[in-house]
Amino acid sequence: QVQLVESGGGLVQPGGSLRLSCIASSSIFSMFFMGWYRQAPGKQRELVAIITPGGSTNYADSVKGRFTISRDNAKNTVSLQMNSLKPEDTAVYFCNARDSRTSITAWGQGIQVTVSS
């Protein structure tokens, strides 16, 4: 199965920026739909952003214009640039991969993002 490892989380003040990265172990990374999800305490996990194998992107309305998802197929990496962060962005963020051939899904371990003054 695909192994996903996130990095780049931490504590940031409102209005600040963070960049999350996720590296995948798979040699067929370019065939994956990649996504970032987040889950706040007591709430359901929600989709933040996705990027297709072809590079098309979609964003949750709550982050549109502030977050940017990108991928680097040469490095088997997907990133989430988060700007103008708000306290409501505080959550555990999870990297997700879906194999376009088999639809098998893998999840990273999750990484904490805290936006607070």
Side-chain angles (χ1 to χ4, degrees):
Q1 184 56 267
V2 178
Q3 303 293 320
L4 304 174
V5 180
E6 304 102 331
S7 62
L11 174 66
V12 66
Q13 293 185 350
S17 298
L18 283 175
R19 185 176 179 88
L20 304 182
S21 295
C22 171
I23 187 166
S25 63
S26 177
S27 62
I28 55 170
F29 174 81
S30 63
M31 299 181 186
F32 294 166
F33 293 84
M34 300 298 300
W36 287 97
Y37 292 71
R38 67 186 182 187
Q39 187 167 24
K43 304 187 70 175
Q44 291 189 345
R45 190 171 299 183
E46 65 175 348
L47 176 67
V48 177
I50 57 171
I51 185 165
T52 72
S56 298
T57 59
N58 281 290
Y59 299 90
D61 288 342
S62 59
V63 308
K64 196 169 299 182
R66 300 188 297 121
F67 291 10
T68 302
I69 188 171
S70 61
R71 67 193 299 158
D72 185 341
N73 289 342
K75 297 181 178 180
N76 286 7
T77 300
V78 62
S79 298
L80 185 69
Q81 179 66 46
M82 303 183 293
N83 298 326
S84 302
L85 283 161
K86 305 174 181 179
E88 50 262 46
D89 295 318
T90 296
V92 175
Y93 284 70
F94 297 88
C95 181
N96 172 266
R98 182 169 68 85
D99 191 321
S100 63
R101 309 163 306 155
T102 67
S103 294
I104 294 175
T105 297
W107 293 92
Q109 79 281 5
I111 189 164
Q112 180 70 46
V113 171
T114 301
V115 184
S116 176
S117 59

